[in-house]
Amino acid sequence: MLTPRREFWLLLTLAGIQFTHILDFMIMMPLGPQFTQLFAISDAQFGLLVSAYTLSAGASGLLASTYIDRFGRKRLLLTLYVLFGLATLACGLAPTYGSLMVARILAGAFGGVLSALSQTIVADVVPFERRGRAMGIVMTSFSLSTVAGVPLGLLLAQYGGWHLPFIAIASLVGVLAIFAARTMPTMTAHLQAAQRRSTFGGIAQVLGDANHRWAFLFSALIMFTGFTVIPYITIYLQANAGVRPDQVPLVYLCGGVVTLFTARLFGVLTDRWGKMVVFRCLAIAGAFPLLGITLVRGVPLWGVLTVSTLMFALMSGRMIPGMAIISAAAQPSLRGTFMTLNASVQSAAMGMASFLGGLLISRDAQGLVQNYWMSAAVGITASVLSMLVVGRLVLHGATPQAR
C-alpha cells in the first residue's frame, strides 16, 4: 500500500504520461484539413492515417500480453515511453504521407501499451472503493490535452507548420520520462505469480474466463461509440458549419475546460452512486450531443461550441465509470495481461470505427460532408448495446452498493 501522498503523485505521473499519449493521438484530428490538402488525400485516406495508429496499438497490445506481467511496472513503462517519444519525433520529421504513416504505426505500437499499463497500475495500487476518483484524476489528462494541448498544438502548426506539434510532444515526453524515473515506485509484486505461468498460459486463462470476454465486448462497444464521429469533427465543422480554421482551437478549448471539471465530478459520482448507474446515465445523455454534432449547421459559433462541449464532456465522462468497471472485471492475478488485451480490443475498436466513419461520409460537388449523421447513428447503436452488456459483468472486490 502506498501512502496517500505517494499515491497522489503516482496518479499525477500517470496523468502526465497519458496526457502526451492522448495528445499525440488527438492532434491528428484537427489537423485533418491540412493533411488532406497537403498530401492530396481523401477523407477516407485521412481516416486510415488515424486508424493506423489505433490498429497498430491493438496489434502491439496482443504481443505485450505475452510479457507485460513478466517485468516490473516502472521499468516497462519507462522503456515503452521513451520509444513512444522517439516514434512521435519521427512523426514530426516525416516528409511524406507514406513516411508519416509508418511513424504513426510505430507511435501507436508503443502508445497503446502505455495506456494499458497505466490503467493496470491504477488498478494494482488503488482499492475498488476509491478507483472512480483515481480514474478521474488520470482521466483529467484528456481534459488537459484538449484544453491546453490541442489549442497550443494548433497554434504551433499555424505558425511553425504541422511538424512542430509532434516535435513539441516528443520534447515533453523526454521531460516527463525523467520525472517518472524519479517519482514512481518499482511495483514488482505481480512478478511471482507471473513466473508460475507459461508465456501463453496467462492469455489462455484470461480468454477462458467468460466474464473477461463480456468485459472485452463492453470495452469495444464504448470505444466504438465515439470514434465513428470524433475523427471527422473538424472536417465537418469547417466544411458544413462554417467554422473558420482559426476558430477550431475554441472547440477543443471549451470542451477541455468543461471536461477538466466534469471528470473529477463524474469520478466522485461513480464511487458514490455506483459504477454501472453512472455509466448508463452518461451513455444515455451522451447520445444527444453525439448526434447533434453531426447535424449542427447554420447556427452561430456559440451554438456549435455548446454542442461540441457537451459531446466532449459526456463522451469522456463515460470512460471514468467504464474503465473502473473494466478493471474490476479482471481477476486480480491476471490483471496485467487482461488490461493489455483490453487495450488491444479498444484500439482495434477505435481503428475500425474511424475507418467505418470515413467510409460512411462523402463529399458533394460543393465540398460539403454528406451522411455524417449515419456515423453517429452507428455509434449510438454501439452505446445502447454497451448499456445492455455491462449488466452481465461480475466486478471483483465490489460491494452491491459500489456496483
Side-chain angles (χ1 to χ4, degrees), residues 362-379:
S362 60
R363 301 277 190 129
D364 63 14
Q366 289 75 40
L368 297 178
V369 177
Q370 303 295 311
N371 302 323
Y372 195 27
W373 67 270
M374 294 176 62
S375 299
V378 173

Side-chain angles (χ1 to χ4, degrees), residues 263-352:
R264 297 296 297 273
L265 173 63
F266 292 149
V268 172
L269 294 179
T270 292
D271 290 336
R272 183 177 301 168
W273 293 353
K275 277 67 172 173
M276 293 188 180
V277 171
V278 174
F279 172 80
R280 285 177 170 141
C281 289
L282 292 175
I284 292 171
F288 296 98
L290 185 66
L291 179 61
I293 200 67
T294 67
L295 299 173
V296 64
R297 186 176 176 184
V299 300
L301 181 61
W302 66 264
V304 174
L305 294 177
T306 298
V307 176
S308 63
T309 299
L310 281 173
M311 191 212 66
F312 279 123
L314 295 173
M315 285 292 102
S316 64
R318 292 173 320 134
M319 295 303 298
I320 295 171
M323 289 312 303
I325 289 168
I326 291 167
S327 65
Q331 294 184 34
S333 63
L334 298 169
R335 185 173 287 132
T337 302
F338 171 89
M339 294 301 290
T340 308
L341 290 173
N342 179 67
S344 296
V345 170
Q346 289 184 332
S347 297
M350 289 164 60
M352 289 187 291

Side-chain angles (χ1 to χ4, degrees), residues 373-386:
W373 67 270
M374 294 176 62
S375 299
V378 173
I380 291 170
T381 300
S383 184
V384 172
L385 291 174
S386 73

Side-chain angles (χ1 to χ4, degrees), residues 3 9 189 198 219 229 232 290 319 359 365 371 375 390:
T3 64
W9 279 108
S198 66
S219 184
V229 171
Y232 308 99
L290 185 66
M319 295 303 298
L359 294 178
N371 302 323
S375 299
V390 73

Side-chain angles (χ1 to χ4, degrees), residues 31 34-35 38-39 91-92 94-95 100 156-157 160-166:
L31 292 175
Q34 293 188 38
F35 285 124
L38 178 65
F39 295 124
C91 293
L100 179 60
L156 291 175
W162 68 266
H163 304 271
L164 194 54
F166 294 102

